[in-house]
Amino acid sequence: MALDRWRFPAYLGPMSYPADESGPRVHRWTYTAEADEVALVLPDGCIDILVSWSDRIGHALIGVTDLDFAPRQVKLPAGTSLIGYRLRPGATIRLDDVQFGRDDLCGLEAEIDDRVSYDQEASEIIDILGLPDSSVEWAARQQGVSERSLQRHFRKLSLPSPAFWRQLGRARRAVQALPCRAPIAEIALEYGYSDQAHMTREFVRWFGWTPAQLRQQSGAMNDLAQPGLGNW
């Protein structure tokens, strides 16, 4: 199977893994588009390495996604098959560092796991930032550093700012409470928003829907329940 290095947008297909801090840094998933479709990709704080192929392309493509800062649409022609290797939030990788066989992908998952750049301190900070009552200032105090030092640490790792992980992490955690049918105003306060309007603005920013609209979007809710920032 020939492989070309190419940047390809991610679509996370159905899968289920436990959210476990002691779990692996890489999760494998697969998805096949049965018909032409436009998939909505929602920010999840993760990078994916993708292998894709279809009869139309005629050969496999491999690429690495960027972190998303807003929802985006991806066109998938019928018959497109994807194998994704999702990295734990905060983990990064250089595709050039991954050695893969041109005719055999069986060892790719282990190779990716071996090549992932993963900073334990940054991972702990990212987890702290997603807590309901957290803030960048509080997370910095927990690490015994200043906010500026925290920001420098993330820049050194080529990661988005702590504010990104705080805002997206809180929104993704709050989404998990929507199926319980509690009043949206109560969920907003429980997850550290000043009021329902504040949470609504953040949901529209990150997911493109209000909380009430998301409750009606079973596909989006299923995607947001998959491993990612706030529920790895």
Side-chain angles (χ1 to χ4, degrees):
M1 180 185 296
L3 293 176
D4 294 332
R5 294 173 185 267
W6 188 67
R7 300 186 70 79
F8 192 89
Y11 174 68
L12 181 61
M15 64 178 185
S16 179
Y17 296 100
D20 185 351
E21 286 299 319
S22 64
R25 295 175 296 179
V26 180
H27 283 311
R28 181 180 181 274
W29 56 268
T30 62
Y31 183 77
T32 299
E34 302 296 340
D36 290 348
E37 64 177 85
V38 178
L40 183 65
V41 179
L42 302 178
D44 51 34
C46 296
I47 289 171
D48 292 75
I49 290 180
L50 293 177
V51 178
S52 67
W53 68 91
S54 70
D55 293 339
R56 186 180 304 180
I57 297 174
H59 57 274
L61 304 172
I62 187 167
V64 58
T65 68
D66 292 320
L67 290 170
D68 287 308
F69 290 76
R72 60 187 171 89
Q73 293 183 331
V74 177
K75 293 182 179 179
L76 295 176
T80 300
S81 294
L82 303 174
I83 300 177
Y85 301 89
R86 165 157 289 200
L87 307 187
R88 195 182 187 116
T92 59
I93 196 168
R94 278 170 33 92
L95 192 57
D96 289 343
D97 293 337
V98 179
Q99 304 297 318
F100 52 87
R102 299 190 65 82
D103 299 308
D104 185 7
L105 297 176
C106 294
L108 184 55
E109 183 172 358
E111 173 69 16
I112 291 171
D113 187 63
D114 186 57
R115 300 291 181 176
V116 166
S117 296
Y118 181 75
D119 185 275
Q120 182 64 37
E121 181 181 3
S123 177
E124 293 173 357
I125 295 169
I126 287 170
D127 289 339
I128 290 173
L129 288 169
L131 297 176
D133 295 326
S134 185
S135 68
V136 176
E137 178 184 7
W138 185 76
R141 286 203 308 269
Q142 293 299 303
Q143 299 301 120
V145 299
S146 67
E147 288 186 57
R148 183 167 296 182
S149 295
L150 198 63
Q151 292 164 352
R152 282 198 299 266
H153 183 61
F154 275 70
R155 282 197 301 270
K156 181 180 178 181
L157 297 171
S158 298
L159 294 174
S161 71
F164 166 86
W165 302 103
R166 167 58 181 157
Q167 293 161 10
L168 177 57
R170 175 171 57 177
R172 284 183 55 87
R173 286 178 186 267
V175 161
Q176 309 308 315
L178 290 181
C180 74
R181 312 306 297 180
I184 292 173
E186 291 183 8
I187 295 174
L189 295 178
E190 180 69 23
Y191 284 87
Y193 293 99
S194 57
D195 53 28
Q196 180 175 334
H198 181 199
M199 187 172 81
T200 296
R201 289 193 299 272
E202 289 296 293
F203 271 43
V204 171
R205 169 192 175 186
W206 291 110
F207 312 129
W209 286 297
T210 67
Q213 291 169 335
L214 262 177
R215 275 180 163 166
Q216 308 303 316
Q217 301 292 332
S218 58
M221 288 297 293
N222 178 67
D223 288 346
L224 289 166
Q226 308 310 316
L229 183 60
N231 60 324
W232 183 262

